[in-house]
């Protein structure tokens, strides 16, 4: 029987994990004389390496099955989140018009998001959801190791109210204990990037930061200055979880504090994968709204 050759960008599963997660092959390396593949999760922000012989190519039919399961979860979360946003808008309209006592047009300025992502595929997915919801965003693909060097200049240029620092991460038991930051693939780079951002904007309510990916060192990210981070229980987080968190912040009025549980309840991962601290919203409402018409 001819051996199956696995190539870059093939979709694979790991035999040793019963193919529970779909991965995309992004590179091959030799480790201690053995061939390994470097893998990025297709729906989860997880990076892993696996021996070549542990990999199984996932055919189109199996991929479609996984994709349908993921899509159902994503649509459910998006539907619940959209309901939340609509309620926030109705509340704002009621307050802006004095309880509908006057007819007055108004406008809203949601918080601007700067989203740095270590994975261009995930960034594209996130940008599509931001656009669907109506969040103003600048998305930048940036290697996790380069984020600390680039974050300051990007903040100066874009002046965001919300910053997302994400990509791929993973904890390795072989490298140390759960409390050891060096036992994580990219957590230290996320931490350094958060610290650089806080040097630019120290106040937690002037720049709201989400940082982390799958299995990231939650406590270090919060102590570095993130408002929200992953992953308290060191579990995998879904690719779109950061979007749901920052979109909620973007559409919450700046005079209101965000209940952490209300932010987490409609994410795909929940409190095991995501957490945070009390934070103010960033939405601002103004009036009147009278668009100028060209004659």
């Amino acid at each position: 029987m001819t051996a199956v050759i696995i190539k870059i960008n093939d979709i694979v599963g790991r035999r040793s994990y019963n193919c529970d997660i779909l991965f995309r092959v992004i590179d091959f390396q030799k480790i201690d004389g053995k061939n390994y593949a470097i893998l990025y999760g297709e729906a989860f922000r997880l990076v892993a390496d696996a021996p070549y012989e542990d990999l199984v190519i996932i055919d189109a039919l199996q991929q479609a099955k996984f994709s349908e399961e993921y899509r159902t979860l994503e649509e459910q979360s998006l539907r619940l989140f959209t309901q939340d946003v609509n309620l926030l808008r109705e509340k704002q309209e009621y307050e802006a018009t004095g309880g509908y006592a006057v007819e007055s047009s108004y406008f809203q300025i949601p918080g601007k998001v700067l989203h740095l992502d270590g994975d261009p595929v995930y960034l594209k997915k996130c940008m599509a959801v931001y656009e669907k919801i109506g969040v103003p965003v600048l998305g930048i693909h940036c290697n996790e190791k380069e984020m600390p060097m680039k974050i300051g200049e990007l903040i100066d240029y874009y002046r965001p109210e919300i910053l997302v620092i994400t990509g791929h991460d993973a904890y390795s038991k072989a490298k140390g204990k759960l409390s050891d930051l060096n036992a994580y693939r990219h957590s230290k780079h996320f931490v350094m990037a958060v610290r650089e951002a806080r040097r630019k904007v120290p106040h937690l309510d002037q720049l709201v930061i989400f940082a982390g990916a799958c299995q990231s060192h939650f406590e270090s990210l919060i102590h570095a200055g993130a408002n929200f981070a992953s992953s308290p229980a060191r579990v995998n987080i879904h690719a779109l979880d950061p979007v749901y968190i920052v979109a909620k912040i973007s559409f919450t009025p700046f005079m209101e504090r965000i209940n952490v549980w209300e932010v987490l309840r409609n994410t795909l991962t929940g409190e095991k994968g995501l957490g945070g601290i009390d934070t103010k919203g960033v939405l601002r409402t103004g009036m009147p709204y009278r668009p100028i018409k060209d004659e």
Side-chain angles (χ1 to χ4, degrees), residues 84-281:
D84 272 1
V85 170
N86 289 338
L87 285 172
L88 281 169
R89 285 174 172 157
E90 288 173 12
K91 181 181 177 183
Q92 282 298 102
E93 182 181 1
Y94 184 81
E95 292 177 355
T97 58
Y100 303 120
V102 294
E103 284 190 19
S104 182
S105 55
Y106 66 97
F107 59 93
Q108 292 184 325
I109 305 176
K112 289 192 300 181
V113 178
L114 172 61
H115 183 130
L116 269 68
D117 205 315
D119 188 319
V121 175
Y122 281 176
L123 179 61
K124 187 176 179 181
K125 289 180 181 179
C126 289
M127 295 298 285
V129 178
Y130 283 127
E131 184 178 351
K132 189 178 291 187
I133 297 169
V135 175
V137 61
L138 174 66
I140 303 286
H141 170 231
C142 181
N143 184 282
E144 290 89 348
K145 294 178 182 179
E146 297 174 359
M147 289 177 179
M149 285 80 80
K150 294 185 176 181
I151 192 68
E153 186 179 348
L154 287 167
I155 288 173
D156 284 340
Y157 174 76
Y158 192 61
R159 298 169 65 91
E161 283 84 34
I162 305 168
L163 173 65
V164 178
I165 299 168
T166 190
H168 291 277
D169 205 357
Y171 164 69
S172 173
K173 190 176 181 179
K175 293 181 180 178
K177 297 179 180 179
L178 282 170
S179 57
D180 185 356
L181 188 60
N182 292 315
Y184 296 78
R185 191 178 290 261
H186 288 306
S187 286
K188 59 178 175 269
H189 303 119
F190 296 145
V191 166
M192 291 164 62
V194 171
R195 285 178 182 155
E196 288 300 317
R198 283 290 169 229
R199 284 195 180 98
K200 287 287 181 183
V201 188
H203 199 291
L204 291 170
D205 288 322
Q206 289 179 351
L207 178 65
V208 180
I209 300 177
F210 172 92
C214 280
Q215 303 176 12
S216 290
H217 198 298
F218 172 77
E219 297 81 10
S220 290
L221 292 166
I222 293 294
H223 291 152
N227 300 69
F228 294 89
S230 59
S231 163
R234 306 303 193 262
V235 299
N236 298 332
I237 71 167
H238 192 274
L240 297 177
D241 279 333
V243 176
Y244 296 132
I245 286 181
V246 301
K248 175 81 171 180
I249 298 161
S250 180
F251 284 111
T252 297
F254 81 101
M255 294 295 286
E256 295 183 15
R257 288 202 167 272
I258 296 162
N259 180 290
V260 175
W261 169 242
E262 285 187 1
V263 175
L264 301 182
R265 67 180 180 178
N266 291 336
T267 61
L268 288 151
T269 305
E271 62 187 282
K272 287 187 177 180
L274 305 159
I277 59 175
D278 286 339
T279 300
K280 286 183 179 179

Side-chain angles (χ1 to χ4, degrees), residues 63-81:
Q63 287 184 46
K65 183 182 176 183
F66 273 96
S67 296
E68 183 58 34
E69 290 174 2
Y70 294 149
R71 186 163 52 248
T72 300
L73 288 171
E74 290 169 6
E75 287 174 354
Q76 181 182 2
S77 282
L78 182 59
R79 185 171 63 253
L80 291 170
F81 174 76

